[in-house]
Each structure stands twice: as structure tokens, then as C-alpha cells.
């Protein structure tokens, strides 16, 4: 029994990266490939390996990821990392972050983030604030707090909807009424934003 417990601890340490070296800050944005049922469709439609993201906020000195999953909620950073495919993740930071994030800006960032907590996940990828998906949440927090648009909004029709996996997911969600003109911001669009710079990528 003791050997099994020790093995479990070692296995957990082996596949859970330490956090001390990351030196994350409020407003950092983190990307991963999720294991959700829609992840592959998102990757194919957006031409990206990343299908999920969140924003890092320090609460009581501990890094939390505010994400839109089943609902908008805070998840401890280490737990969030463990959920991703292969525990691979990338952290990006706003260019010239320290000059942009004044004390007033940080208050605004956290205030706006808190207004979204508890709202349900939007599996239909609409642009309403009543329900939110992961990249929409982060985009709206930055735009609302700082006036910065991290990535250009696109229409649903602008993505690659040709693969069978994507077609099946669209049919499952929308039936025959596909909102092709709906505004969408994908993780890929934010990942490539010129306002962000990569500060860490796990191996």
C-alpha cells in the first residue's frame, strides 16, 4: 500500500510541472489543447493546435485561471494545466505589460472579470454576454478593462468548415440554421495577436 502511494505521488510530480519558475502575473493569457468533445473540431476549423484558453489572475497570492468551461469559473493554475492534452501549455503576456497595467487598470481588469463569474458556457459561440466561451471571455475582459482588442473578430463563415468532423459538430449544435454571420473570436486569433508575446511554453 505504501509503495502504491509513493508511486502515485511520483507519477503526479512527473506529469505536473512546477509553478515557481513561471512567474505569472495578473492578465497573463494561457493556452492549451483541451480534451473536450469539440476540441478537434475547433482545431480543424481554426487551423490551430490550441482549443482552450483562460486569463491568469492572482487571488490571495495564488495563480488562478479564469475560464469559460461548463460555466465561467476560477481554476487553480496547476489543476488547469493538468487538464490539457499532454499537459502542454503556452503563456503569453501583453507587450509592455508593466506600463499598461497601472493599479487602476488592474482594478478594472479584476472588476470586469468578476462580473462574468458564474455565467454559463456558450456552446453555440454567440456574441451575447449572457453566455460565454473561453476566448470570448478573455477578449471581452481585455477590451472592457483596457480597450485592447486581442485579435480581430471574424464571422463563423470565415473559418474552415469543410471537414467532416466540423460539419458534424455544426449540425449537432445548429441543425440547419447555421449563424454564419455571427461574430467569433477563436483562441488562434488571440494567440497570434501582435499585442502579446510568449513568455513560456512547456516542453
Amino acid at each position: 500500500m505504501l509503495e502504491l502511494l509513493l508511486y502515485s505521488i511520483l507519477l503526479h510530480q512527473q506529469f505536473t510541472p512546477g509553478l515557481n519558475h513561471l512567474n505569472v502575473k495578473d492578465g497573463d493569457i494561457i493556452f492549451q489543447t483541451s480534451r473536450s468533445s469539440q476540441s478537434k473540431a475547433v482545431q480543424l476549423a481554426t487551423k490551430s493546435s490550441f482549443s482552450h484558453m483562460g486569463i491568469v489572475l492572482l487571488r490571495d497570492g495564488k495563480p488562478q485561471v479564469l475560464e469559460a468551461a461548463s460555466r465561467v469559473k476560477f481554476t487553480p493554475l496547476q489543476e488547469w494545466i493538468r487538464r490539457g492534452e499532454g499537459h502542454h501549455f503556452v503563456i503569453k503576456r501583453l507587450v509592455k505589460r508593466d506600463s499598461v497595467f497601472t493599479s487602476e487598470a488592474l482594478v478594472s481588469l479584476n472588476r470586469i472579470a468578476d462580473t462574468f463569474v458564474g455565467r454559463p458556457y456558450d456552446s453555440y459561440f454567440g456574441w451575447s454576454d449572457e453566455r460565454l466561451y473561453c476566448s470570448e471571455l478573455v477578449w471581452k475582459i481585455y477590451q472592457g478593462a483596457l480597450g485592447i482588442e486581442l485579435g480581430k473578430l471574424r464571422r463563423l463563415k470565415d473559418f474552415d468548415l469543410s471537414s467532416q468532423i466540423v460539419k458534424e459538430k455544426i449540425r449537432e449544435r445548429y441543425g440547419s440554421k447555421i449563424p454564419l454571420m455571427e461574430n467569433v473570436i477563436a483562441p488562434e486569433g488571440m494567440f497570434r495577436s501582435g499585442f502579446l508575446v510568449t513568455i513560456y511554453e512547456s516542453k
Side-chain angles (χ1 to χ4, degrees):
M1 186 67 179
L2 179 58
E3 290 180 354
L4 182 61
L5 177 61
L6 289 173
Y7 175 76
S8 176
I9 292 172
L10 288 172
L11 189 65
H12 177 81
Q13 291 175 340
Q14 180 180 355
F15 291 104
T16 304
L19 301 179
N20 292 336
H21 65 291
L22 296 183
N23 191 30
V24 293
K25 296 183 178 181
D26 280 305
D28 286 350
I29 299 175
I30 187 167
F31 299 82
Q32 68 177 195
T33 303
S34 78
R35 304 180 189 183
S36 71
S37 61
Q38 69 179 14
S39 179
K40 189 62 178 179
V42 171
Q43 293 175 67
L44 289 170
T46 63
K47 307 295 186 185
S48 172
S49 61
F50 298 107
S51 58
H52 189 50
M53 61 181 296
I55 181 171
V56 176
L57 295 170
L58 302 179
R59 295 296 165 99
D60 297 323
K62 297 179 180 179
Q64 303 277 332
V65 179
L66 183 64
E67 61 173 338
S70 57
R71 57 185 173 82
V72 177
K73 61 180 181 177
F74 283 100
T75 302
L77 176 58
Q78 199 160 29
E79 178 183 329
W80 194 90
I81 291 170
R82 287 200 301 269
R83 286 207 323 254
E85 188 70 38
H87 307 109
H88 178 248
F89 64 97
V90 173
I91 298 177
K92 293 211 167 203
R93 181 171 293 164
L94 192 67
V95 174
K96 297 183 180 178
R97 182 255 180 212
D98 292 338
S99 62
V100 174
F101 276 99
T102 62
S103 57
E104 292 82 4
L106 282 172
V107 168
S108 180
L109 188 82
N110 280 277
R111 177 180 57 79
I112 291 176
D114 284 337
T115 66
F116 291 125
V117 173
R119 299 192 192 188
Y121 178 75
D122 187 2
S123 60
Y124 293 93
F125 302 110
W127 198 245
S128 165
D129 289 352
E130 294 178 8
R131 295 173 175 268
L132 299 116
Y133 53 92
C134 65
S135 43
E136 177 192 14
L137 171 68
V138 180
W139 193 95
K140 288 183 174 179
I141 290 173
Y142 258 81
Q143 196 280 330
L146 302 171
I148 296 174
E149 298 184 355
L150 296 178
K152 183 180 178 180
L153 296 183
R154 300 171 68 184
R155 305 288 187 179
L156 182 59
K157 70 179 182 64
D158 296 329
F159 295 96
D160 185 354
L161 311 180
S162 63
S163 79
Q164 191 60 34
I165 292 176
V166 175
K167 288 179 179 178
E168 289 176 1
K169 186 58 67 175
I170 286 177
R171 186 163 52 248
E172 173 190 312
R173 294 284 167 84
Y174 306 113
S176 61
K177 298 181 179 180
I178 305 171
L180 293 174
M181 298 305 292
E182 188 75 27
N183 281 331
V184 177
I185 184 67
E188 178 271 339
M190 298 180 71
F191 186 85
R192 299 185 186 282
S193 170
F195 287 110
L196 300 175
V197 60
T198 299
I199 63 164
Y200 184 84
E201 180 172 4
S202 65
K203 304 302 181 186

